Amino acid sequence: MIYLDSAATTLQKPPSVVRASAYAITHMASPGRGGYPAAMTAAETLFTCREAAARLFHVPEPDQVVFTMNATHGLNLAIKTLVEPGDTVLISGYEHNAVTRPLTATPDVTVKVADAPLFQPEAMLERFGALLTPEVSCVICCHVSNVFGYILPVAGIAALCRERGVPLILDASQSAGALPVHMDTLQAAFIAMPGHKGLYGPQGTGILLCAAPVKPLLEGGTGSHSVRQEMPEFLPDRLEAGTHNVPGIAGLLEGLRFVLRKGPERILDHERRLAAQCAAGLSRMKGVTVFSSPHLEHQAGVLSFQVDGQDCEEVGDRLGRQGIAVRSGLHCAPLSHRTAGTLERGTVRASFSAFNSSNDVRALLQALERRRPS
């Protein structure tokens, strides 16, 4: 199979990730629940993983690295901490349902949308500046659109938030592991990310970087301050009730080490070259609309397209039968499609990782060339 759906999850992992997860299943117990070797090894693995994440994302203290089930879990923690009923929240026009649904579920929240066109970061920054008025209590923004690979001007948006004293929640689901995500520079209140995409960890893992006090979604055992019936006030215990996903976190540690060794810049450059190759090939095909930027700095390794007269789901299914895995439809981000004008049809999305090659792109292009019935 040629796998081109890494924006959903990176299926190809470094072998060390698989080995670490398998080892943890049989050699690691519950961290913080005992002083015997299996429990202590688990606790050491978790702390080492926090240290690796803190190093990659420039987080002052490892305890600010909180383990979650996925980015959606982290975003819910952040949103339900900062957004109260009746608040006004400003978001970009490219947010995922992991942002819009928690906002919809909060009573009487007014959502303002900065809906500038695709691949126009200056216009997006101007919209944020115009809409970031005094009644806005929180800004939420994705770093990269999961549909189009569009890199939003988060450095400028973060600067606006600091200037106007408004907390920022950053969704780094499509950027962590490739683009610079520096907690100390952005000074975001929260940054959420999955472990299973650009960090090459197992599914069921995620990270929430915390620079602000946070409300827990779950209460329960933490192995600390057990006599108290309230959750501990300190991180990470405040947000990590119950038994950890130790095999997942052990694998995530190896994924982080892979990214640190290889370097996010090299990974991004590789993914961008593949996306550019794919966009150039698609652009030469009649009846294919490609959503890409001529400026490489505006796009990551995610590319969407449409085929005239053909349903996107049908295109994806046909490619799947030829052994090429892409994603079709709305990609859990209808707001992005509404902003870009693709809501009615959706798109076919190809997304790349460090394990893809130029041959994978050529195979996709050749399969699409055979798309017309004989």
Side-chain angles (χ1 to χ4, degrees), residues 9 12 22 36 57 71 113 143 148 152 177 211 216 231 244 265 267 290 305 318 333 361:
T9 191
Q12 295 118 320
Y36 50 90
F57 301 117
V113 179
H143 199 166
F148 301 104
L152 278 70
M231 289 295 288
H244 292 81
E265 300 84 0
I267 293 172
V290 187
F305 63 94
R318 188 167 63 253
V361 176

Side-chain angles (χ1 to χ4, degrees), residues 138-222:
C138 178
V139 170
I140 309 172
C141 183
C142 62
H143 199 166
V144 175
S145 164
N146 74 302
V147 178
F148 301 104
Y150 169 34
I151 300 173
L152 278 70
V154 296
I157 293 166
L160 280 172
C161 290
R162 294 194 301 271
E163 176 187 307
R164 303 186 189 182
V166 179
L168 169 66
I169 299 171
L170 181 66
D171 178 2
S173 293
Q174 301 297 333
S175 61
L179 286 163
V181 179
H182 294 175
M183 188 81 168
D184 56 355
T185 302
L186 293 172
Q187 296 181 35
F190 300 103
I191 301 177
M193 63 191 70
H196 63 97
K197 297 186 183 183
L199 301 183
Y200 295 91
Q203 292 154 309
T205 61
I207 288 172
L208 180 66
L209 308 178
C210 302
V214 61
K215 297 177 184 175
L217 285 178
L218 299 173
E219 289 83 23
T222 60

